[in-house]
Amino acid sequence: VRKTAVMGVAKLFSVAPSILKDSDLVDILYNIIKDKDTLVVVNAIHALNEILAEEGGMAVNTKIIHHLLNRMHTFNEWGQMCVLELVSRYRPTGSKSTEEIYDIMNLLEDRLRHSNSALVLATAKVFLKLTAKLPNVNREVYKRIKTPLLTLISNPNHAIAYPVVCHVQLLITKNADIFADSYKHFFCRYNDPICVKEIKVKCLANLVNDHNAQDILSELSEYTTDVDVEIARLAIRSIGKIAVECESAMEQSIYHLLTFLDMQQDYIISETAVCIKMMLRKYPDQYEDVLDKLKHIMKNVEETDGKCAILWILGEYGEQLLEAPYILEQYIDAYDEEQSSEVKLELLSAAMKLFFKRAPEMQKMLGRLLKSAVLDTTKVDVRDRGVFYYKLLQFDVDKAAQIVNCPQISINSFFDPTEHDLTDKIFNEFNTLSVIYRRPAELFISEEPVEASDNEREDAEQEQERDEEDAIDGDDDHDDDDQKHDGREPEAAAAPDEDVNGGLGMQ
């Protein structure tokens, strides 16, 4: 009764919030937290969180938190989840705050060994939140929660393993070195679903250091032949990422990338070309072995990103490659068949760069290309670029050379600064769907009710009509069964002019 009464208060708030605020029901709910029945307590917490949502939810203080923690083992699993969510919002204050933090973590230590993954993640969230301003303790917390999380990753139930590995991926972005020695836990198993493989491959790329680089690169190179094309692409991109972020593993990464060029699949060659371009932007002098291998596949790339990467390399290193103008000529001859604006823009830039390095071979080709670009009315951005280059050459060839062939600058980082802010936002929403979706809750949760689309309304109406017809048919069948039970045929029962009384002569 008490449990239902508490939910009645929440219902009253949704119907008439003003009446609730004028009463003392909120204070009564706070008192109910001391109730001996844990189900009543959990309902009271949920009701207070809903009623006080605009104020950030139920107010927490030391007394409430310690009272609930001391009763933790009397709650069922979902009740414990509710309590842990409250504890994650609590911040100890005062001169003894550090001691209180240790006391709370000691009380919850055994929850990290629980079989329920939700409880383990909720406890990890409490530990991380409590020690956020204690760097040394926070690092020890990472070490403490690592083992139970890695155990859950190996769970044969993929519905459990996937959310956990998503949370571990987030933790790795904060403290990769803590998990680096356990990199083998992220090797993909044959029965892992694609979603789990994807996260594991990304984790491997972030765990690379001087000690494990060779093992991780060898493992990632195996995934390039995976039956799923997206996993193969991701594995190649991960090797490219390792090449630019881990200098000690750069030569090994280049070796693996060059071996991929011998494969016949176009998507592998294209992804490899993109990675080599990225690597050359970080290490401009590492081109000798790369160019010798690339020249054999430059004419055969089909994908847009791969073409753009090849054209960039031709423009930057064309003077080092004897066949560069003739490879570029094939792309110029196929200009009208090319549909991608990105490829056409990169082709213009590459041709201009190579013109100032090998003018005799490029002069006629560049003239044809600029004419095609200027007359290209289907791609406005390509036409504008062509007109710009044409007028630049008309104005001053030397100035054009300075503008187009500017010195190469080594790119030290390919990290997007906004990614760091996004990670911090998601980390603040640990143990929620934000970690799974990789976006803050504000981007996928709306306070406005979701209206059904026209198609959904039509489907609902048709479903309702079918239900009504089924109900009518059910009533008819029921009447027929009653008539059969009386020993009469349905047709005889339905005939108004016949004597249905067994020949008694009743009118």
Side-chain angles (χ1 to χ4, degrees):
V1 173
R2 296 193 304 277
K3 182 178 69 172
T4 308
V6 169
M7 298 311 294
V9 176
K11 179 66 175 177
L12 176 62
F13 172 74
S14 65
V15 176
S18 59
I19 295 176
L20 182 66
K21 290 179 180 178
D22 294 337
S23 67
D24 60 346
L25 288 174
V26 173
D27 295 332
I28 294 173
L29 288 178
Y30 273 109
N31 290 329
I32 289 177
I33 291 175
K34 299 177 184 178
D35 196 280
K36 60 183 179 181
D37 191 320
T38 55
L39 294 177
V40 176
V41 175
V42 171
N43 279 7
I45 293 172
H46 284 305
L48 284 168
N49 281 331
E50 183 173 344
I51 293 169
L52 303 174
E54 294 182 358
E55 302 172 17
M58 171 185 165
V60 293
N61 56 38
T62 305
K63 280 188 176 182
I64 292 175
I65 292 300
H66 283 272
H67 169 74
L68 293 172
L69 286 174
N70 288 326
R71 296 185 60 189
M72 175 67 78
H73 291 281
T74 63
F75 289 87
N76 61 24
E77 290 180 358
W78 296 113
Q80 292 180 40
M81 284 289 302
C82 181
V83 172
L84 289 171
E85 185 60 32
L86 276 184
V87 179
S88 69
R89 288 163 39 198
Y90 175 62
R91 297 292 177 272
T93 56
S95 58
K96 297 185 178 181
S97 59
T98 304
E99 295 179 8
E100 187 178 356
I101 289 173
Y102 284 124
D103 290 340
I104 293 174
M105 290 195 294
N106 287 334
L107 280 171
L108 297 175
E109 175 74 16
D110 62 330
R111 298 297 89 190
L112 288 175
R113 297 190 293 272
H114 203 282
S115 59
N116 189 321
S117 60
L119 270 179
V120 175
L121 288 173
T123 307
K125 178 179 181 179
V126 172
F127 282 23
L128 293 170
K129 293 280 187 180
L130 288 175
T131 60
K133 296 183 179 180
L134 303 171
N136 294 332
V137 181
N138 187 259
R139 185 174 177 81
E140 293 301 317
V141 165
Y142 273 87
K143 293 179 180 179
R144 179 64 191 85
I145 65 177
K146 181 180 78 169
T147 302
L149 291 178
L150 292 179
T151 302
L152 290 171
I153 287 177
S154 304
N155 194 305
N157 186 343
H158 303 309
I160 294 176
Y162 177 67
V164 176
V165 77
C166 286
H167 282 79
V168 173
Q169 181 193 18
L170 181 62
L171 294 174
I172 287 174
T173 60
K174 291 286 187 178
N175 261 313
D177 56 322
I178 299 293
F179 293 85
D181 60 340
S182 303
Y183 64 92
K184 289 187 178 180
H185 283 83
F186 299 93
F187 285 0
C188 296
R189 297 178 297 182
Y190 73 95
N191 61 341
D192 280 340
I194 295 173
C195 58
V196 174
K197 285 184 178 179
E198 180 182 350
I199 302 298
K200 284 185 174 181
V201 171
K202 291 179 180 178
C203 288
L204 285 173
N206 291 328
L207 291 175
V208 170
N209 58 27
D210 298 344
H211 305 291
N212 60 24
Q214 184 175 355
D215 288 344
I216 291 179
L217 286 171
S218 298
E219 182 70 15
L220 289 173
S221 65
E222 295 292 329
Y223 301 155
T224 56
T225 56
D226 194 276
V227 292
D228 187 84
V229 173
E230 290 305 316
I231 296 299
R233 289 178 182 273
L234 182 59
I236 297 171
R237 288 197 294 268
S238 297
I239 293 175
K241 181 181 179 181
I242 292 171
V244 299
E245 292 186 358
C246 184
E247 188 170 355
S248 61
M250 184 262 295
E251 291 185 2
Q252 296 179 59
S253 300
I254 293 176
Y255 169 77
H256 284 286
L257 289 173
L258 293 180
T259 59
F260 299 155
L261 296 177
D262 295 328
M263 299 183 181
Q264 300 301 318
Q265 290 91 340
D266 185 63
Y267 66 89
I268 292 179
I269 294 174
S270 295
E271 290 292 346
T272 303
V274 173
C275 291
I276 290 175
K277 170 194 170 183
M278 187 168 62
M279 184 271 298
L280 289 175
R281 293 183 67 190
K282 178 71 179 288
Y283 309 106
D285 299 330
Q286 300 291 330
Y287 61 84
E288 294 182 1
D289 296 335
V290 172
L291 292 181
D292 186 56
K293 193 81 173 179
L294 272 178
K295 66 182 181 182
H296 300 294
I297 57 93
M298 284 183 169
K299 300 177 182 179
N300 305 320
V301 180
E302 296 294 334
E303 294 189 2
T304 297
D305 291 341
K307 287 181 179 179
C308 290
I310 292 297
L311 290 170
W312 182 89
I313 293 171
L314 287 172
E316 294 292 337
Y317 297 95
E319 75 277 14
Q320 310 294 336
L321 191 62
L322 183 64
E323 302 91 339
Y326 311 104
I327 296 173
L328 205 61
E329 186 175 20
Q330 288 194 354
Y331 286 96
I332 294 173
D333 292 340
Y335 178 89
D336 293 333
E337 287 77 30
E338 181 59 54
Q339 301 297 319
S340 172
S341 296
E342 291 84 356
V343 173
K344 289 184 176 181
L345 291 170
E346 196 65 57
L347 179 59
L348 283 168
S349 298
M352 282 289 288
K353 290 177 182 178
L354 200 54
F355 169 71
F356 293 112
K357 297 172 182 176
R358 300 173 68 169
E361 297 163 288
M362 286 298 301
Q363 184 175 0
K364 291 184 178 180
M365 280 189 277
L366 179 61
R368 284 193 290 119
L369 178 61
L370 289 176
K371 181 179 179 181
S372 298
V374 171
L375 298 177
D376 189 352
T377 57
T378 60
K379 310 286 185 184
V380 178
D381 50 348
V382 176
R383 181 181 180 279
D384 289 346
R385 180 76 64 88
V387 171
F388 170 73
Y389 283 153
Y390 178 72
K391 291 187 176 181
L392 191 62
L393 290 170
Q394 274 190 325
F395 175 72
D396 192 327
V397 175
D398 294 331
K399 288 284 180 65
Q402 293 177 6
I403 294 171
V404 175
N405 268 347
C406 56
Q408 288 189 36
I409 300 174
S410 176
I411 307 297
N412 294 322
S413 175
F414 294 88
F415 185 75
D416 185 358
T418 59
E419 185 70 21
H420 181 72
D421 297 334
L422 177 63
T423 301
D424 288 341
K425 284 185 178 180
I426 296 174
F427 193 80
N428 290 331
E429 299 174 17
F430 195 86
N431 196 27
T432 67
L433 284 175
S434 298
V435 180
I436 311 297
Y437 293 158
R438 292 294 299 172
R439 58 178 63 188
E442 61 191 23
L443 298 182
F444 63 86
I445 292 180
S446 174
E447 296 181 359
E448 299 178 1
V450 180
E451 295 184 0
S453 64
D454 293 338
N455 291 335
E456 290 173 337
R457 290 194 191 97
E458 291 177 3
D459 293 342
E461 290 173 358
Q462 292 174 2
E463 183 68 26
Q464 185 177 359
E465 290 175 0
R466 285 195 295 270
D467 291 342
E468 291 175 354
E469 291 174 359
D470 292 342
I472 293 172
D473 293 341
D475 291 342
D476 292 343
D477 293 341
H478 183 68
D479 293 341
D480 292 345
D481 291 341
D482 289 344
Q483 292 164 0
K484 288 179 180 180
H485 183 70
D486 292 340
R488 297 170 291 173
E489 291 296 328
E491 292 78 10
D497 297 328
E498 293 184 12
D499 184 1
V500 295
N501 293 293
L504 295 177
M506 295 180 65
Q507 298 297 324

